Amino acid sequence: MAEQFKVELCMQPAAPRWGKDALLSFHPEGANIHLSDDEQEQNRRIRRAARQLSQMGLASIQLVGEWQLEQQWALWQGLYKARKMPSIEWAEMEAAQTQRFQHMRQIVGWVRHTVNRSAEDIYPEQLAREAGEFITQFAPDAVNYRIIKGDELLEHQLVGIHAVGRGSERPPALLELDYCPAGEENNAPVAALVGKGITFDSGGYSLKPTQGMLYMKADMGGAATVTGALALAITQSLKKRVKLYLCCAENLVSGRAYKLGDILTYKNGTSVEIVNTDAEGRLVLADGLILAGESGAANIIDAATLTGAAHIAVGPHFNALFTMDDTAATTMLKVAQEQQDPLWRLPLLPIHQEECPSDYADTANSKPVPGGGAGGASNAAAFLSRFVPDPACGWLHLDLAACFMDKGTADWNAGATGLGVRSIATYLNQL
Ligand code: BES
Ligand code: MN
Ligand code: MN
């Protein structure tokens, strides 16, 4: 067997020959990762060093010396690649930590892998099924789910998922999953999670240019993220009932596709004029949010790769948080900071609802300007607020700007990051 490449943490700076403030220095058996005194920065240094190591094509890595859970996690984050990961012999920790770390890798690894898969490989019904099965394995006795697909969606008045997905040969689908631990049968869920599961977003008749369309296999990142979050919360002994809704569809162009000027009337009575078929995420989420409200859950959290505007506003290193509930915002931001899961709050007020007027319906699905115009991420969030029972109470919307890196960065290999999973999981577990 080939020898393993050894990696050790080191509190001393690297010798000057490795460059100024070098993250890595090498020796015949492997490398040292050099940490700085700034504790906040340490894990980021590990992740960036790992990202550099991941580009060397190493077959097998062994961690030597002392490694804390968060340090090993940062290394995993940076080493993870869509293709060909090295095998890794992790450092020893106490049993509970080892178990926790193993679950984090398994679950966030599933999220990243699922987001990276091609749209040909993972289509709406497949996403719904795999997500249901994935969660079930962590609590086979407490999980039940069903999938509603194709024209059956209309029998349940799920008009958004149906309209967005009907242009594809592969039918749109809703996953409705109930995590109900023993003793909770007569209780309303404490929370409902809703995920955008657009397995491919061509833009529809408001067609995207090639460059923008290339990454749209990742437009189911919200669905993968909330699925991972519930799974992780379960492994961290979630005791309360939680519902999960994944709104899965493929936004394509065809003779059956929905069109500009169409009007959708939702189950809650809200009518929506389609002025841009590329603002499809909010249309599918609206159905999920209505169901989440009907479940009686006091807390509703949705996650979606919803707008390019969020990406422009916070950049690729943060997810964006929108809520009208300041208490919930404070809790979520605190949780995110503790979990080292970068999250930044952006504005959301009732006035944002007025930015998408329609002469033919209660609202349009976008401002009729390219990309939704200024404040597009807030306007999208305000659109969603029309479909939750009380937007000022317990509702959080995450626009996942940091879900996916189009190209590799200093911190990440190209593709999915899995950011957001830990915050949502921890939030659930403290409700
Ligand atoms: N899935 C996209 C948003 C997106 C774009 C996420 C780039 C990640 C990277 C979404 O469905 C979309 O197309 N949004 C439009 C909205 C607009 C038409 C109002 C956008 O952001 O341009
Ligand atoms: Mn779109
Ligand atoms: Mn989309």
Side-chain angles (χ1 to χ4, degrees):
M1 200 186 93
E3 259 190 87
Q4 290 171 304
F5 185 92
K6 296 185 172 45
V7 179
E8 190 165 1
L9 297 175
C10 177
M11 284 309 297
Q12 276 81 48
R17 65 176 170 278
W18 297 105
K20 188 171 179 293
D21 195 25
L23 294 167
L24 283 163
S25 65
F26 294 83
H27 53 80
E29 285 78 42
N32 290 321
I33 298 177
H34 297 273
L35 303 179
S36 65
D37 298 335
D38 181 354
E39 272 193 47
Q40 297 275 323
E41 266 299 294
Q42 288 199 358
N43 294 334
R44 181 150 185 268
R45 287 180 74 86
I46 295 171
R47 190 167 65 224
R48 290 165 63 207
R51 155 79 170 126
Q52 290 183 14
L53 291 174
S54 79
Q55 291 169 291
M56 293 173 55
L58 300 168
S60 181
I61 292 176
Q62 181 191 22
L63 304 194
V64 296
E66 277 281 311
W67 287 75
Q68 310 290 319
L69 171 62
E70 292 296 338
Q71 295 174 325
Q72 301 208 61
W73 179 246
L75 186 97
W76 179 84
Q77 285 182 309
L79 275 180
Y80 184 95
K81 258 184 150 174
R83 311 177 60 203
K84 285 195 253 155
M85 279 275 280
S87 71
I88 304 164
E89 189 182 324
W90 298 101
E92 275 192 31
M93 295 183 290
E94 59 172 89
Q97 299 275 71
T98 300
Q99 177 66 258
R100 190 182 174 90
F101 181 43
Q102 197 256 320
H103 281 136
M104 287 162 67
R105 288 196 322 271
Q106 180 187 4
I107 291 166
V108 182
W110 179 86
V111 171
R112 295 177 78 172
H113 173 66
T114 304
V115 172
N116 284 338
R117 282 167 71 184
S118 72
E120 190 56 21
D121 191 26
I122 188 149
Y123 48 95
E125 196 184 343
Q126 181 78 359
L127 172 60
R129 204 178 318 121
E130 288 194 19
E133 284 168 15
F134 183 71
I135 294 191
T136 302
Q137 72 181 297
F138 297 102
D141 300 332
V143 173
N144 283 293
Y145 68 87
R146 66 169 171 166
I147 293 169
I148 301 170
K149 66 168 177 174
D151 288 343
E152 209 194 323
L153 289 161
L154 291 179
E155 291 162 29
H156 299 266
Q157 289 176 272
L158 299 168
V159 296
I161 301 171
H162 186 268
V164 171
R166 76 181 194 215
S168 169
E169 300 277 327
R170 293 158 150 192
L174 171 96
L175 172 76
E176 176 178 8
L177 182 146
D178 186 13
Y179 170 68
C180 186
E184 284 278 284
E185 294 79 8
N186 298 321
N187 297 339
V190 68
L193 302 176
V194 182
K196 171 177 173 181
I198 299 295
T199 55
F200 187 68
D201 182 11
S202 73
Y205 277 98
S206 309
L207 198 65
K208 286 182 184 294
T210 297
Q211 308 88 290
M213 203 189 293
L214 174 59
Y215 309 110
M216 286 301 133
K217 64 177 185 179
D219 210 17
M220 30 58 73
T225 300
V226 288
T227 301
L230 179 54
L232 189 61
I234 291 171
T235 66
Q236 296 171 357
S237 72
L238 178 65
K239 294 289 185 298
K240 305 250 174 74
R241 187 172 193 174
V242 173
K243 286 273 213 167
L244 174 76
Y245 300 94
L246 302 186
C247 310
C248 307
E250 208 173 27
N251 188 18
L252 298 184
V253 174
S254 83
R256 287 201 309 269
Y258 78 136
K259 295 173 278 290
L260 297 144
D262 286 356
I263 291 175
L264 303 180
T265 304
Y266 281 85
K267 197 178 179 185
N268 72 349
T270 305
S271 60
V272 177
E273 184 194 1
I274 308 305
V275 301
N276 191 324
T277 59
D278 197 12
E280 85 298 338
R282 63 197 80 181
L283 298 173
V284 301
L285 286 174
D287 284 331
L289 290 169
I290 290 171
L291 296 177
E294 286 176 358
S295 77
N299 298 280
I300 299 176
I301 305 168
D302 76 75
T305 48
L306 199 61
T307 66
H311 205 261
I312 300 291
V314 297
H317 296 295
F318 286 87
N319 288 316
L321 173 67
F322 297 85
T323 178
M324 296 179 183
D325 182 334
D326 291 339
T327 313
T330 305
T331 307
M332 182 53 110
L333 290 169
K334 181 163 165 281
V335 160
Q337 187 144 39
E338 284 165 7
Q339 297 298 311
Q340 307 192 32
D341 206 357
L343 185 67
W344 203 270
R345 188 179 182 186
L346 292 179
L348 174 60
L349 295 167
I351 50 163
H352 288 113
Q353 280 193 0
E354 294 159 26
E355 297 289 312
C356 306
S358 164
D359 292 321
Y360 302 95
D362 295 333
T363 180
N365 72 329
S366 170
K367 233 190 231 189
V369 296
S378 296
N379 299 344
F383 178 92
L384 298 179
S385 75
R386 295 174 180 271
F387 301 91
V388 288
D390 181 357
C393 191
W395 169 57
L396 296 166
H397 159 57
L398 274 73
D399 198 329
L400 301 179
C403 176
F404 189 85
M405 301 293 156
D406 296 353
K407 299 198 167 48
T409 69
D411 289 62
W412 302 98
N413 279 301
T417 62
L419 292 175
V421 173
R422 291 183 62 180
S423 309
I424 299 171
T426 309
Y427 190 87
L428 286 178
N429 262 321
Q430 57 81 55
L431 283 174

